């Protein structure tokens, strides 16, 4: 059932992106007066088709589901003598170079527009996200040395306003790639004034992380993690906690003398102590208590952990990111631009060896993410489609022959030289581009297989 769910989520996402991309080419071709012979979702042999419209364009489904194409009237692909005289002016290569550029560029542009609209729709609806509130950290971390202690809410990074934890991660990732430090504006509770806030600014050094660390949880390496609720016990089930006398609503302060900062810290201490007696110190109302509890040992994915059978709330403080329609569109465009530039930066870092090629993912990993986000909810799923649409747009604009970017490179050279590139040059470039593309596909497939085995 999970496999079918993942397959369906992947098919919907991929089908949407392919159709939108090819519709970009199709509508641009129609607008430029070029005759479209076939619009295909999928590659290879056609398994279903119907013809519609004045030009009797063939709308088809093909056997290989990865990709699609728009086939136009093109003298490079058919004998010009077979083209009806009235259609010669609608042949692709007879169009001006600017029209050809518009037709080729329209596919990736359609992907970017889709991402903007999806982000805008999500911002209008409202996206619940964890608040940018920092958890207590170790004294040896960069965050602690910068002056953070936990409980602060980050409001801006290098002058850019942040609201959510994902904003914090994104902005700090950008600073790591740019190899600059980060100035954090933070709010913290005022111990003197009830409900008051203290405003502060700290300089966070990013020297301890590199571009390669971005593959893992680089925020944790800096000492930054998401704040969690206090360790207040929820429902008590039959088991060690109940036998020890712990009750719902108890606030746990420390375990075996080790301070418990939040619910996550309590869970981590219990999991690390299977079969070991723990002295729990806490508050019940206005009274303190100390109780001994011994977590039972259980197996979890082949590892022995401790459990005391009690619910511990760990959901972080959330905020609803919601905007007016025009603001949402502007933010959607900004997010699409930022994601595109970040993608290009990561590609550049991969080429020079500063970022691992393990970041290249193939259809298996994308399908897995599609299934996971679809299970979380439609907000996460639509966000996933938006990000993949941006990646598809960026990748297609890379100056690699056989991709849209390769054709745009040819047309740019034609503008500079005043004549089209030679057929011989085009053939050699196409073969080289196909080699590069196949290499990238093999790397992606290898990375997918490695991820499955881990």
């Amino acid at each position: 059932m999970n496999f079918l769910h993942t397959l369906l989520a992947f098919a919907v996402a991929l089908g949407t992106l392919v159709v939108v991309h090819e519709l970009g080419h199709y509508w641009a071709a129609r607008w430029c007066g070029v005759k479209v012979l076939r619009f295909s979702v999928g590659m290879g042999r056609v398994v279903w088709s119907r013809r519609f419209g004045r030009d009797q364009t063939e709308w088809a489904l093909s056997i290989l589901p990865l990709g699609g194409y728009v086939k136009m009237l093109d003298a490079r692909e058919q004998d010009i003598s077979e083209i009806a005289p009235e259609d010669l002016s609608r042949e692709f290569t007879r169009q001006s170079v600017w029209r050809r550029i518009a037709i080729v560029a329209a596919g990736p542009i359609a992907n970017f527009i889709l991402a903007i609209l999806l982000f805008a729709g999500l911002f209008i609806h409202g996206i619940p996200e964890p608040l940018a509130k920092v958890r207590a950290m170790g004294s040896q971390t960069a965050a602690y040395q910068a002056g953070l202690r936990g409980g602060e809410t980050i409001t801006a990074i290098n002058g850019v306003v942040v609201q959510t934890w994902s904003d914090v991660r994104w902005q700090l990732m950008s600073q790591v790639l740019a190899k600059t430090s980060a100035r954090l504006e933070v709010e913290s509770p005022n111990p003197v004034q009830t409900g008051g806030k203290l405003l502060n600014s700290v300089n966070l050094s990013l020297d301890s992380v590199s571009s390669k660390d971005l593959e893992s949880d680089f925020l944790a390496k800096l000492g930054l993690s998401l704040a969690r609720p206090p360790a207040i016990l929820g429902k008590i089930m039959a088991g060690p906690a109940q036998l020890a006398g712990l009750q719902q609503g108890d606030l746990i302060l420390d375990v075996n003398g080790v301070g418990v900062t939040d619910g996550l810290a309590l869970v981590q201490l219990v999991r690390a102590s299977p079969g070991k007696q723990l002295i729990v110190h806490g508050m019940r109302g206005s009274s303190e208590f100390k109780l001994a509890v011994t977590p039972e040992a259980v197996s979890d994915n082949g590892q022995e952990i401790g459990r005391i059978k009690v619910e511990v709330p760990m959901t972080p403080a959330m905020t609803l990111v919601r905007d007016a329609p025009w603001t949402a569109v502007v933010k959607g465009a900004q997010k699409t631009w930022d994601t595109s530039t970040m993608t290009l930066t990561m590609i550049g870092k991969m080429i020079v060896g500063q970022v691992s090629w393990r970041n290249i993912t193939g259809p298996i990993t994308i399908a897995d993410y599609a299934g996971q986000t679809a299970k979380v909810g439609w907000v996460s799923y639509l966000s996933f489609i938006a990000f993949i649409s941006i990646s598809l747009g960026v990748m297609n604009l890379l100056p690699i022959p056989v991709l849209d970017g390769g054709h745009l490179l040819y047309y740019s050279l034609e503008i500079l030289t005043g004549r089209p590139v030679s057929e011989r040059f085009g053939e050699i470039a196409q073969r080289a581009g196909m080699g590069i593309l196949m290499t990238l596909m093999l790397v992606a497939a290898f990375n997918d297989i490695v991820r499955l085995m881990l």
Side-chain angles (χ1 to χ4, degrees):
M1 192 67 181
N2 284 336
F3 173 75
L4 291 176
H5 182 272
T6 296
L7 189 62
L8 178 62
F10 177 59
V12 170
L14 182 64
T16 300
L17 297 179
V18 168
V19 168
V20 167
H21 181 92
E22 299 306 331
L23 278 175
H25 292 310
Y26 173 80
W27 285 115
R30 292 290 303 272
W31 179 72
C32 292
V34 175
K35 186 174 182 178
V36 179
L37 304 179
R38 178 185 292 163
F39 182 107
S40 175
V41 177
M43 308 291 285
R45 183 171 62 85
V46 173
V47 295
W48 176 92
S49 68
R50 290 289 185 274
R51 294 184 182 274
F52 300 99
R54 178 173 63 89
D55 291 331
Q56 286 294 287
T57 300
E58 181 185 13
W59 296 78
L61 293 176
S62 298
I63 194 166
L64 298 176
L66 299 178
Y69 63 92
V70 169
K71 182 179 180 180
M72 291 169 272
L73 192 64
D74 194 330
R76 297 169 300 182
E77 298 177 2
Q78 60 190 105
D79 188 347
I80 196 169
S81 63
E82 297 177 356
I83 301 176
E86 62 271 20
D87 285 338
L88 284 175
S89 63
R90 303 182 66 194
E91 190 266 330
F92 178 77
T93 63
R94 297 197 176 199
Q95 308 305 310
S96 71
V97 66
W98 295 108
R99 287 192 174 190
R100 281 176 277 146
I101 286 175
I103 294 170
V104 171
I109 289 173
N111 286 122
F112 295 135
I113 292 173
L114 174 63
I116 292 170
L117 294 177
L118 287 174
F119 284 137
L122 291 172
F123 287 135
I124 292 170
H125 173 269
I127 306 174
E129 291 198 48
L131 196 64
K133 191 172 183 179
V134 180
R135 189 177 182 230
M137 69 290 295
S139 59
Q140 302 302 314
T141 62
Y144 189 94
Q145 292 166 11
L148 299 177
R149 295 296 180 268
E152 298 92 348
T153 299
I154 302 173
T155 59
I157 298 176
N158 287 358
V160 178
V161 175
V162 296
Q163 291 179 273
T164 66
W165 193 251
S166 61
D167 291 341
V168 171
R169 189 178 189 280
W170 184 264
Q171 290 300 323
L172 289 180
M173 182 184 294
S174 300
Q175 303 310 317
V176 170
L177 289 172
K179 297 184 178 180
T180 60
S181 60
R183 186 167 185 80
L184 277 54
E185 308 296 330
V186 299
E187 287 182 355
S188 55
N190 190 336
V192 177
Q193 179 184 356
T194 304
K197 299 286 185 181
L198 292 175
L199 305 180
N200 192 18
S201 179
V202 300
N203 289 314
L204 178 64
S205 172
L206 304 178
D207 293 341
S208 60
V209 297
S210 66
S211 299
K212 293 184 178 180
D213 292 320
L214 300 181
E215 302 165 28
S216 57
D217 187 4
F218 74 98
L219 291 182
K221 193 170 182 179
L222 292 168
L224 295 174
S225 56
L226 190 58
R228 307 285 179 159
I232 298 176
L233 303 185
K235 181 180 178 182
I236 309 292
M237 291 159 278
Q242 187 181 71
L243 292 174
L246 291 170
Q247 297 179 14
Q248 185 171 341
D250 287 349
L251 170 63
I252 309 303
L253 302 176
D254 62 75
V255 174
N256 287 353
V258 178
V260 174
T261 55
D262 54 28
L264 179 58
L266 175 61
V267 170
Q268 290 171 338
L269 282 168
V270 171
R271 285 174 63 91
S273 308
K276 300 177 183 178
Q277 188 181 74
L278 302 176
I279 305 300
V280 178
H281 172 218
M283 297 290 297
R284 183 173 297 159
S286 57
S287 303
E288 290 190 47
F289 67 86
K290 278 191 177 181
L291 296 171
V293 58
T294 302
E296 62 182 29
V298 297
S299 178
D300 182 42
N301 292 325
Q303 180 183 6
E304 190 176 63
I305 64 169
R307 284 184 182 167
I308 59 173
K309 299 292 186 68
V310 60
E311 290 182 355
V312 182
M314 291 192 293
T315 303
M318 304 292 287
T319 184
L320 187 66
V321 181
R322 177 180 287 168
D323 297 284
W326 173 246
T327 305
V329 171
V330 173
K331 284 184 65 176
Q334 184 63 54
K335 194 172 185 70
T336 299
W337 173 261
D338 290 343
T339 305
S340 301
T341 55
M342 176 71 75
T343 303
L344 283 172
T345 301
M346 292 291 283
I347 292 172
K349 298 283 186 182
M350 283 186 213
I351 293 172
V352 299
Q354 294 182 7
V355 172
S356 172
W357 286 71
R358 287 177 296 180
N359 287 284
I360 298 177
T361 57
I364 297 174
T365 298
I366 294 173
D368 183 39
Y369 287 163
Q372 290 182 34
T373 54
K375 287 178 183 177
V376 172
W378 67 269
V379 171
S380 296
Y381 184 57
L382 291 181
S383 295
F384 163 79
I385 293 177
F387 281 113
I388 296 300
S389 188
I390 294 169
S391 296
L392 181 61
V394 171
M395 290 300 295
N396 266 283
L397 286 176
L398 294 179
I400 300 174
V402 312
L403 296 180
D404 293 332
H407 293 291
L408 292 175
L409 178 61
Y410 297 161
Y411 302 146
S412 299
L413 292 174
E414 183 176 340
I415 292 172
L416 291 173
T417 62
R419 62 179 184 275
V421 297
S422 67
E423 289 188 13
R424 178 62 177 163
F425 176 84
E427 289 175 5
I428 295 172
Q430 288 291 99
R431 290 173 186 170
M434 185 59 71
I436 294 172
L437 200 59
M438 290 301 296
T439 301
L440 290 174
M441 291 173 65
L442 288 173
V443 171
F446 175 78
N447 289 341
D448 282 355
I449 294 170
V450 169
R451 288 187 184 96
L452 285 175
M453 295 174 64
L454 293 178

